[in-house]
Structure formats: C-alpha cells, structure tokens
Amino acid sequence: MMNNISKYLYRAGSNGSFLKSNKYYLNSNGKQLNRWFCSAASTSKSSVVVDTTLNFLEQREDVQPLSQPIEPSFIHKKSVSEQPVAPPLEPKPAYFEINPGNSDPLLDPVVKVFSVLSSPNHYTPWQMKPQREVTGSGFVITGKRILTNAHVVADQTSIMLTKFGNPNKYHAKLLGIAHEYDLALLTVEDESFFDGIDPLEFGDIPELQDTITVVGFPTGGSNICVTQGVVSRIDLQQYAHSESKLLSIQIDAAINPGNSGGPALMGGQVVGIAFQNLAGASSVGFIIPTPVINRFLNDVEKNGKFTGEPMIGMMAQYLDSVPRSYFGIPKDLTGLLVNELHPLSAAKDILRKNDIITHINGVAIANDGSIAFRRRERITYEYLLSSHFIGDKINVTVFREGQSMDLSVPLVPQHRMVPYQTYDKRPSYFCYAGFVFTPVTHPFLTEIAEDLALTYRRVFEKIERITSPSSQVVVISQILIDKINHGYSSFGFSEVKKVNGTPIRNLAHLVQLIEETTKPHVVITLENEYLIILDKEEAKEATIRIMKQHAIPSDRSEELHSIKQQ
C-alpha cells in the first residue's frame, strides 16, 4: 500500500520539487516512512494531494506519528574500511622526446612513403590527369637504400619519407624501379635520415603455417601498424601492377592500402614485402618473397638499372590432354608441347613446333606444366626462369622425332604488341588534320572501354603481327571534328594499315610516311580497306587550326619531334 501511495505522490508532482512535511510516521514494522513528498510547489492542487495523504496516514492503525525523526537516516550507507591514501602521481608532460635508448631494431627501419603521382591521359595524350597523393610503406636495407613497391611511386612527381616516431619529412629519389616485379629502390640524400637505423636483413622462403609479422602504415591511422598471419600458400601468382606471373606468398593477415611496401618479418628477418590482397576475400594478403627481391637488387647492382623480365619465347600447352600415340611419346615421358615461337626470341632458331620439352635446367616438367618445389609442393615451370637475367642461357631437354636431345636457349626481353604497363612515360601520339593517331596499349584500352579492354587486347595482340622490336598497332584514338575530316567521324578507333600504299610498322613510321610524301594527297588505309584521302596542304592548315581550337601544345609527342617535317 505504501508503495502505491509513494508512487501516487511522486506522480502528483510536475516539476520535481519537494514539499517537506512536519510530521514523521512509523509503521507497524518499525520502519520510518519517507517524509519527502514529490509535489509541484507552485500549484494549490498538489498541496491538496499532500494534505489528503497525510490525513489518510493518520487514520491507519499500523502507522504511528513521531515527534522527531529516527536517526540515523533510514538510508543506510555501507561501511567502508579506511584504505591508505596513495601518493599523488607525478604530472607528465603533454609531449615526450625520442630516447635513443628506446629504439626498436625491427620497427625503426620501417618508413612511411608519401608520393604525389601524376599520370597521363591516354585518350587525350597531350594532357595529364589531376595529381593525386598516396601513401605506402618501405624499409631501410643495406647501402642506405629504402625498398618499397613500384605501385607506390609509379608516375611520381614527388617522394617524401618519414621515420617511425619522427614527424620530419625527408625528400627521396628513385635509384631503380621494376614495374614487372612491383619493386622500387629509393634513397635519401640527407645523411641524417639513416642515423640510429640498423638496416633489415633478408631471410629465406618461410614454410607453410609459419607465423609472419607484417609492419607498415595502412590507412585508418597515422601510427605504425603491426599485424600477424600464417603462411597459407606459396605459388606463382599474377602481380596486379604488371600482370607478371611470379612467386608470391599468401598469408591470412590483412594487407590494406598503405601497407604496400612494408616488410613481412619472421625471426627478425625480412621474408617478403606486402604488396596486394585478394579482392572480395577477407584477410587474404600476398607478399613478394625474397628470391624475387634479390633478383631485382642484383640486377640494379649489376647493370645500374632493372633490365627487364626474361622469356624463352614460346607458347606451349600441357600434355595431359594430348594423345601420346599421335606424337609417339613414350609412356613415362612428361612435359610441354611447343605450339608457337616468338619471332623475336632466340628459341625460334633452336626449338621447333611440336617439340616436347621434358626438362628445364635438369628439372622434370609434369604434364600439367608443374615442377617439384619443396616436399610435396608444386609450382609452374616459369619459376625456373625467375632467377635468370636477360642474355642468360638455360638448358632445355626436348623430345623430337623419337629422340631426346639437350639444347641451350638464350633468354630475351619480353615484348608484347599491346604493352600492359607504360608507367613513368608519356604516351605517344600524332595529331594530323584532326585525326589523333596513337599506338595501342592496355592503359589506352582501359580508358576507351574498361569492361572491353581485355577483349580488344586479344584482338590486337597477335604474335604474327610482330616483325621487329619496334612493332606497334596504331589506331585512330579520336577525331577532332573539322570541315577537313567531315564524313570520317565513324572511323574512330580503326586500325591504320598503310600510308600511301606502304604498310606501317609503328607510329613513328606513320609520321615519317606522311611527312616525307611528295604527293599532293595523303591516302591512309584503315582496316577493311577503308580510305582517308586528304589534301596535303589543306591538312597542314587544318592541323594548325584544330590545335588552336583544342589548346593542343604540339601536334606530336616528344620522341617524334626528330622526324623531319616537310
């Protein structure tokens, strides 16, 4: 009943004020009733409620009035034993100074990379895209050098570094870069940058289930970040930056933007460099192992720059789907079937179509193109080329016409009709009478139609098109409309075949044929034998007019200026 009365009295109040009663009441259980009643002090109605309640209490037999309240208060406080008072803490400053004695030999060599990138516009090649700022990670190695990823500094205009625990930024410069391996080598001219830093050392390839520690500066904060994962897989993977298929280590640690270039450590040594993750998967990251890193460093030290990724120069298919009786292959023989040879390779004069490659450098090749790696692990045969340089010779065992023979094949540079990456260089172009001619590259196809870039690339990238190291596929990237090219607007993105009846080899050859012609007309033959016929003198005047209208600074890219203009 008292609970209901208290609740009723509390609800009678509207502003939370209290009215003190002069009477105290004790119920039959000997408990003093609360003398505080909630009311609205400013209203007469609340006073009536309180008076009515007091009269009700006085009429109850189990409630007796008291002349004074019972002490202590009915709200009993818990007794607390006295505790000794701790001395006050000494005040700490809001900042601290770096103490050389608190250095960490594994974290101190890790640096944060600040890059400003400016990439060209491949659709309008005389323009640059807006610059963008990116961050990444890196670490100090011997020789006062810093190792990071190539994609962190690709198309860079400025590189700056900060050390762990030091807010000062230092200007850095490139010593070497390998876009195929996604690796870059930096240095800092300010010698004080390397004070107190012990360079990290490289270790071996880890084993499966080994624990790896990835250190770097990922997005989401400004301080250094340390994560751990275990080695899940070691295999050849496609590097996103270059499309090269090289050895990589898969770990279950998260590698986020900003982690790129940071060291992967095990036992105090670097066993890889964080460089990419798997899109759509959670906590699946990849690191570049030390064999790839050492191959890059050795190339730069030996040649002063990265000379490129070598190739044998052959297209081959697996034997697991080929009937052995067709080629007379012995039952216990395994390997690859040679289908096509690159016209610029040394192998075209050594190997033959339908040769069966059974061994490379003495290592047996299985019918699925794999080789024994470690214990029961297997990887593709391309791994055998990863440690070699351009010009090195490899031993190849082939089965030809019922006989096995050993051959020596020199390795040559990679060459593609449609280059996948063109970092750190401006695209080539030639503007003539409103027609913009450019060689086909993967970045160009991506800007034209990203979804169809791979399809277009397969159309243009045919090995029979390659006739020399400078061979290119030239197309009309766009047509800047003018009266001189009226009626030709549908010829955009068409491949150029000939100029005045002469087949073109590349863009420079096209420019040369146009500039050196003595005929009054320039006849450009496109695919499907479509023709563009232009008056030479009118084309010259139109080129100047169109360049002024579209604010084009030059009618050609820089490397084409040496071609004589008539």
Side-chain angles (χ1 to χ4, degrees):
M1 185 67 179
M2 274 308 301
N3 290 337
N4 294 334
I5 295 174
S6 300
K7 188 180 299 183
Y8 173 74
L9 292 175
Y10 178 78
R11 290 176 179 172
S14 61
N15 63 356
S17 60
F18 292 92
L19 181 66
K20 184 176 181 181
S21 170
N22 293 325
K23 295 183 178 182
Y24 301 86
Y25 295 90
L26 184 70
N27 63 9
S28 58
N29 295 327
K31 294 184 179 180
Q32 178 178 325
L33 301 180
N34 191 352
R35 65 187 180 91
W36 298 95
F37 298 102
C38 181
S39 68
S42 60
T43 62
S44 60
K45 183 182 293 186
S46 61
S47 299
V48 174
V49 172
V50 173
D51 291 339
T52 303
T53 305
L54 294 176
N55 293 333
F56 172 78
L57 294 173
E58 290 176 352
Q59 295 176 2
R60 290 189 54 174
E61 297 179 356
D62 60 337
V63 176
Q64 299 177 1
L66 297 175
S67 59
Q68 61 183 1
I70 299 175
E71 298 295 342
S73 172
F74 68 94
I75 302 176
H76 298 283
K77 297 181 179 180
K78 294 182 178 180
S79 59
V80 180
S81 59
E82 295 184 359
Q83 299 290 340
V85 179
L89 298 175
E90 296 182 1
K92 292 185 178 181
Y95 65 93
F96 67 94
E97 296 181 356
I98 297 176
N99 184 356
N102 294 334
S103 62
D104 190 312
L106 295 182
L107 298 184
D108 289 346
V110 183
V111 302
K112 188 172 184 178
V113 183
F114 299 82
S115 297
V116 179
L117 312 181
S118 182
S119 304
N121 189 322
H122 291 268
Y123 184 66
T124 53
W126 53 86
Q127 296 179 341
M128 300 293 287
K129 295 179 181 178
Q131 69 179 17
R132 53 194 177 94
E133 298 181 6
V134 301
T135 61
S137 305
F139 58 95
V140 178
I141 61 174
T142 57
K144 295 183 177 180
R145 300 172 298 175
I146 299 98
L147 198 59
T148 186
N149 282 140
H151 72 260
V152 176
V153 295
D155 295 325
Q156 58 80 27
T157 59
S158 172
I159 306 174
M160 301 192 76
L161 308 177
T162 59
K163 298 191 291 184
F164 171 48
N166 189 332
N168 299 325
K169 290 185 177 181
Y170 296 80
H171 286 281
K173 67 175 184 179
L174 272 174
L175 290 179
I177 190 166
H179 292 291
E180 293 87 342
Y181 293 175
D182 199 1
L183 293 172
L185 198 61
L186 312 175
T187 190
V188 176
E189 294 181 348
D190 189 344
E191 295 287 339
S192 64
F193 176 84
F194 300 97
D195 291 345
I197 296 179
D198 294 327
L200 292 176
E201 298 180 352
F202 293 105
D204 296 327
I205 300 176
E207 299 285 342
L208 295 177
Q209 296 185 342
D210 279 347
T211 300
I212 303 293
T213 302
V214 179
V215 185
F217 295 87
T219 55
S222 58
N223 284 325
I224 200 166
C225 179
V226 180
T227 58
Q228 280 192 337
V230 299
V231 176
S232 307
R233 178 186 299 161
I234 301 177
D235 203 352
L236 265 69
Q237 298 285 344
Q238 190 175 76
Y239 286 23
H241 184 64
S242 64
E243 207 184 38
S244 297
K245 194 173 183 181
L246 299 167
L247 190 67
S248 67
I249 301 174
Q250 177 182 324
I251 60 176
D252 65 355
I255 295 179
N256 298 311
N259 266 128
S260 295
L265 304 170
M266 187 183 73
Q269 293 183 318
V270 177
V271 295
I273 299 177
F275 77 114
Q276 67 186 32
N277 57 21
L278 184 61
S282 177
S283 297
V284 177
F286 296 93
I287 62 176
I288 303 174
T290 51
V292 180
I293 300 171
N294 290 329
R295 163 66 176 81
F296 164 66
L297 295 176
N298 292 337
D299 199 356
V300 174
E301 293 171 359
K302 179 181 178 181
N303 301 298
K305 63 177 183 178
F306 180 71
T307 56
E309 183 182 3
M311 71 170 183
I312 297 178
M314 68 174 185
M315 296 292 292
Q317 74 178 80
Y318 303 150
L319 279 183
D320 51 7
S321 60
V322 176
R324 293 179 173 272
S325 59
Y326 184 82
F327 293 103
I329 303 174
K331 183 178 181 180
D332 58 345
L333 187 142
T334 62
L336 299 169
L337 174 64
V338 177
N339 303 118
E340 196 173 25
L341 296 169
H342 197 288
L344 300 183
S345 69
K348 74 179 188 306
D349 299 322
I350 302 173
L351 300 178
R352 296 180 186 176
K353 185 178 179 180
N354 295 335
D355 276 351
I356 307 297
I357 298 181
T358 61
H359 295 76
I360 294 180
N361 287 341
V363 179
I365 302 176
N367 287 334
D368 62 353
S370 67
I371 61 171
F373 180 51
R374 298 183 310 184
R375 295 180 300 180
R376 298 173 62 183
E377 298 174 78
R378 301 190 68 84
I379 56 177
T380 59
Y381 75 94
E382 289 97 339
Y383 172 70
L384 298 173
L385 309 179
S386 61
S387 61
H388 287 279
F389 299 91
I390 293 173
D392 288 353
K393 294 183 178 181
I394 61 170
N395 298 319
V396 178
T397 303
V398 301
F399 180 79
R400 178 189 300 171
E401 297 177 353
Q403 295 182 347
S404 180
M405 57 184 67
D406 294 326
L407 304 173
S408 179
V409 180
L411 299 178
V412 298
Q414 295 271 359
H415 181 82
R416 294 172 174 173
M417 281 299 292
V418 182
Y420 181 79
Q421 51 89 7
T422 57
Y423 302 107
D424 301 320
K425 65 177 73 172
R426 299 289 295 273
S428 299
Y429 74 93
F430 177 60
C431 183
Y432 184 73
F435 297 95
V436 181
F437 302 97
T438 187
V440 177
T441 64
H442 186 76
F444 167 73
L445 295 176
T446 301
E447 292 191 12
I448 293 293
E450 185 172 1
D451 295 338
L452 298 176
L454 182 59
T455 302
Y456 284 136
R457 184 178 169 191
R458 289 175 176 174
V459 172
F460 292 119
E461 194 169 48
K462 300 295 183 180
I463 199 170
E464 60 268 15
R465 291 175 177 265
I466 303 175
T467 58
S468 70
S470 60
S471 294
Q472 293 176 328
V473 178
V474 180
V475 297
I476 299 174
S477 63
Q478 61 176 310
I479 301 173
L480 306 176
I481 301 301
D482 185 80
K483 61 181 181 180
I484 194 171
N485 54 45
H486 176 72
Y488 293 131
S489 59
S490 62
F491 290 168
F493 201 56
S494 296
E495 182 182 354
V496 180
K497 295 291 188 178
K498 302 175 184 177
V499 173
N500 289 337
T502 303
I504 67 167
R505 298 187 298 270
N506 48 48
L507 181 61
H509 189 213
L510 177 145
V511 176
Q512 182 181 7
L513 292 174
I514 291 177
E515 298 289 3
E516 294 181 355
T517 184
T518 57
K519 298 179 180 180
H521 292 89
V522 174
V523 180
I524 301 173
T525 305
L526 308 179
E527 57 185 281
N528 301 320
E529 300 299 320
Y530 291 128
L531 298 178
I532 297 175
I533 304 174
L534 303 170
D535 182 277
K536 184 177 179 181
E537 295 302 323
E538 291 181 2
K540 284 185 178 181
E541 296 176 1
T543 299
I544 297 173
R545 179 174 63 249
I546 294 170
M547 288 174 55
K548 184 177 181 180
Q549 290 174 345
H550 293 271
I552 301 174
S554 177
D555 68 335
R556 66 196 70 193
S557 51
E558 185 176 354
E559 78 281 359
L560 299 177
H561 279 287
S562 60
I563 299 177
K564 182 180 179 180
Q565 300 184 37
Q566 298 291 332

